[in-house]
C-alpha cells in the first residue's frame, strides 16, 4: 500500500469504481489493474438501495449489505494488492460488520492478509423509540410533520456520517474500509483528511474535498455519462471512471485514466457539481461547502481543475433517511393506435375511475399518455401512443385483481387495444421520510482491524455556524445587450444551455448552465421561477427555490414535491426526475439571435 513517506508530499489520487448498487461490474478490477491511484472508492447506497437492503435484512439478519461488492472485490483483489491501492466503500449498507467479516474471508481465500476496518453508528433504526421518548420527534424536512404521525412502519433509519471515521481507520493502517451510510462525498473527504492530516477546523480544505467527492461519487457521470452534450463525447458506450487529484488546500483536478472512453471537460464537471445539490451551501456532516464559490479551469487532456471552494462550520444536525413499506403498486401499459386517440384514452379512464370507485383499498390512481402518434403514419408504431395506468393501495386492490380487470378489456373496449407485457401481480412500494438529528446523538464508531474501537466526535459539537465571505463575481464574457424585437428568434433552450436533473427525496433538482459564457446575463435574467413554470407546466402550483452560481454560469432549481413522497412511491413515470432537464432543454423560448448556435 502507499508508503507513509508519500503522504502529504504530493496530491492524493482517488478513483471511483461505483456510483450505485448495480454499476459496471468490471469497474473495480479495471481501475485497480490500471493503478496510479492511492485510494479507490465505491458508492453503493441511495434511498432506494436502503429500502432494498432493509427488505433483505428483514428476511435474514445476516444480510443487509451490497452483496455484489464481494464479486467486484474477488476480481480486483490481486490488482489492488499489486498496485498498493487502499479501498473505501459504503457497501456495508445496514450491516458493515457482516460485510467486513465476509471481506476478510474472501481475502484469506486469496492467501493475503489485508487489514479490514469497518464503521458503524449511522443505523438508528433500533433507537427510534428511544429518540422520540427523549424529545427528538424527527419532523419531516419538508412538511414538518412528526414521525409519530407517519402511517407507515419504519424499515430502515440511517443518519449520514462524515469522513473522519474513514480518516482514522486509514491512519491506523486499514487497507480496506467498509462503511454504512456515510455521505457520498465522505468516501473522498475521509481519505483526503487522512492524507493531508486535516482537522475538523480546516473548513476550506474539507469543502474542496467535498466538491471533488461530489464530482466523482457517481462514477462515469463525471466523464460524459448522462450529459446533455453527449453527442460530443467520444466512446460513450463505456466511459472511464473518474479520478480526483486532491491537493493540501482542498483544490483538485478531475481526470480519468488515459485510453478509457468518455471525456472530462468543464461541462461534464459542472453537470456533476450541480447534480442533486439543492442550495449552493451544500451540507455535509464535516463542513458546509459553498459550491457557488467553486471555479473551474480546463487544463486540457481530460483534466479540469476545481479551486476556491469555501467552507464553513457544518450544521449541528445531520440528515436521517427513514424508509418503510407503503403498500402495493401495480401498472399496465396499453397501446392507442390510429384515429380517435383522445376518445380511446377517455374510455379507459372511465373504466379506471369506475374500478376505483367499486373496489376498496385503492389510495392513488394515475393515467398517463406517453408519446404522440404521427398523422398519416407510414408504420404502425409511428401511429401509436401508450397509455400507462398505475394504481397504489392494498395488495388485494392493486394486485392480481387489478391486472385481471385490465385483461378483461381485451374484447370489450376500444378498437386495436393490446397491452405491452403480460398481467402482473404488482409489488410492494417503499416510502421515504427525511429528517434531521443532532450529530451528538450518534455513536460514530470505527472498528479498527486490530479489534480496537474509536468514537469520532461530531463535526460541529457546539453548533456554531459561520458565514462564508462572498467573493467578487467572476469576470465572465461581456454582457449581452438587451435585444431589439427583431433580434429575437425562437429556439429550443437546449441550443443555449446544458442541464442535469435528479431527485432529492420527493423534490426534484434541476441545474441549468450556459454552453457559452456570453449567454450568462441572458440566462440569469430570463430563466426565472415564473419562466420555469411556464416552460414546465407540471411544476405549476409547486414551491420552487432558485439559486445562482455565477462562477459556473448556472442556476439551480429545487422543485418541491414534484416526486410526491419520493422516488420509491411516486406515480410519475420518470420517478427520479432524471429526464426533467432534458424536457426543459427541448422547450422553445425566444433568445437573442447571437446566442443561437449555427
Amino acid at each position: 500500500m502507499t508508503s507513509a513517506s508519500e503522504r502529504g508530499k504530493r496530491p492524493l489520487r482517488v478513483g471511483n469504481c461505483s456510483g450505485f448498487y448495480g454499476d459496471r461490474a468490471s469497474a473495480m478490477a479495471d481501475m485497480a489493474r490500471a493503478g496510479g491511484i492511492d485510494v479507490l472508492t465505491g458508492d453503493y447506497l441511495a434511498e432506494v438501495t436502503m429500502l432494498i437492503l432493509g427488505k433483505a435484512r428483514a428476511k435474514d439478519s445476516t444480510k443487509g449489505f451490497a452483496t455484489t461488492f464481494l464479486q467486484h472485490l474477488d476480481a480486483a483483489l490481486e490488482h489492488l494488492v499489486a498496485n498498493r491501492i487502499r479501498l473505501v466503500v459504503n457497501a456495508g449498507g445496514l450491516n458493515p460488520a457482516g460485510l467486513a467479516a465476509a471481506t476478510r474471508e474472501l481475502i484469506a481465500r486469496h492467501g493475503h492478509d489485508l487489514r479490514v476496518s469497518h464503521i458503524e453508528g449511522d443505523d438508528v433504526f433500533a433507537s427510534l423509540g428511544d429518540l422520540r421518548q427523549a424529545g427528538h420527534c424527527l419532523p419531516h424536512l419538508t412538511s414538518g410533520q412528526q414521525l409519530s404521525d407517519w402511517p407507515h412502519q419504519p424499515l430502515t433509519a440511517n443518519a449520514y456520517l462524515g469522513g473522519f471515521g474513514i480518516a482514522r481507520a486509514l491512519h491506523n493502517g486499514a487497507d480496506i474500509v467498509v462503511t454504512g451510510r456515510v455521505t457520498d462525498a465522505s468516501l473522498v473527504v475521509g481519505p483526503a483528511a487522512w492524507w493531508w492530516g486535516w482537522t475538523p477546523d480546516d473548513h476550506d480544505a474539507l469543502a474542496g474535498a467535498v466538491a471533488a467527492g461530489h464530482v466523482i461519487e457517481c462514477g462515469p457521470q463525471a466523464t460524459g455519462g448522462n450529459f446533455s452534450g453527449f453527442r460530443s463525447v467520444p466512446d460513450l458506450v463505456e466511459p472511464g471512471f473518474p479520478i480526483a487529484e486532491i491537493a493540501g488546500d482542498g483544490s483538485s483536478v478531475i481526470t480519468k485514466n488515459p485510453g478509457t472512453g468518455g471525456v472530462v471537460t468543464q461541462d461534464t464537471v459542472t453537470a456533476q457539481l450541480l447534480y442533486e445539490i439543492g442550495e449552493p451551501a451544500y451540507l455535509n456532516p464535516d463542513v458546509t461547502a459553498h459550491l457557488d464559490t467553486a471555479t473551474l479551469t480546463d487544463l486540457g487532456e481530460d483534466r479540469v481543475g476545481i479551486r476556491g471552494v469555501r467552507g464553513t462550520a457544518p450544521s449541528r444536525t445531520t440528515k436521517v433517511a427513514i424508509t418503510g413499506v407503503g403498500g402495493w403498486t401495480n401498472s399496465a401499459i396499453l397501446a392507442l393506435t390510429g384515429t380517435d386517440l383522445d376518445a380511446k384514452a377517455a374510455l379507459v379512464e372511465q373504466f379506471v375511475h369506475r374500478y376505483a370507485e367499486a373496489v376498496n383499498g385503492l389510495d392513488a390512481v394515475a393515467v398517463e399518455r406517453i408519446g404522440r402518434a404521427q398523422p398519416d403514419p407510414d408504420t404502425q408504431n409511428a401511429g401509436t401512443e401508450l397509455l400507462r395506468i398505475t394504481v397504489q393501495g392494498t395488495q388485494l386492490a392493486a394486485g392480481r385483481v387489478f391486472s385481471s380487470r385490465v385483461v378483461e378489456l381485451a374484447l370489450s373496449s376500444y378498437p386495436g387495444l393490446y397491452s405491452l407485457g403480460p398481467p402482473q401481480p404488482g409489488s410492494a412500494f417503499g416510502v421515504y421520510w427525511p429528517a434531521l438529528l443532532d450529530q451528538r446523538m450518534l455513536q460514530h464508531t470505527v472498528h479498527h482491524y486490530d479489534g480496537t474501537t474509536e468514537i469520532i466526535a461530531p463535526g460541529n459539537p457546539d453548533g456554531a455556524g459561520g458565514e462564508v465571505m462572498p467573493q467578487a463575481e467572476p469576470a465572465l464574457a461581456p454582457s449581452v445587450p438587451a435585444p431589439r424585437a427583431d433580434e429575437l428568434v425562437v429556439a429550443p433552450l437546449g441550443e443555449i444551455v446544458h442541464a442535469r436533473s435528479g431527485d432529492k427525496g420527493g423534490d426534484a433538482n434541476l441545474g441549468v448552465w450556459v454552453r457559452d459564457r456570453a449567454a450568462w446575463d441572458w440566462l440569469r435574467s430570463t430563466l426565472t421561477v415564473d419562466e420555469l413554470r411556464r416552460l414546465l407546466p407540471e411544476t405549476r402550483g409547486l414551491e420552487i427555490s432558485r439559486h445562482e452560481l455565477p462562477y459556473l454560469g448556472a442556476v439551480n432549481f429545487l422543485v418541491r414535491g414534484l416526486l410526491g413522497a419520493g422516488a420509491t412511491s411516486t406515480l410519475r413515470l420518470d420517478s427520479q426526475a432524471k429526464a426533467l432537464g432534458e424536457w426543459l432543454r427541448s422547450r422553445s423560448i425566444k433568445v437573442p439571435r447571437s446566442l443561437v448556435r449555427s
Side-chain angles (χ1 to χ4, degrees), residues 259-289:
T260 58
V263 69
V264 178
T265 67
Q266 284 186 243
D267 283 326
T268 66
V269 172
T270 298
Q272 191 56 29
L273 276 175
L274 295 174
Y275 184 56
E276 297 181 344
I277 63 170
E279 296 183 12
Y282 191 51
L283 302 180
N284 266 257
D286 298 317
V287 68
T288 299

Side-chain angles (χ1 to χ4, degrees), residues 566-579:
T568 55
S569 61
T570 182
L571 295 179
R572 284 183 63 87
L573 182 65
D574 181 14
S575 62
Q576 292 182 292
K578 298 293 188 181

Side-chain angles (χ1 to χ4, degrees), residues 344-368:
K344 292 173 180 175
L347 186 59
V348 174
E349 288 196 44
Q350 291 177 30
F351 154 77
V352 171
H353 292 305
R354 184 172 298 180
Y355 174 74
E357 292 171 358
V359 67
N360 293 323
L362 278 189
D363 303 318
V365 175
V367 181
E368 301 171 281

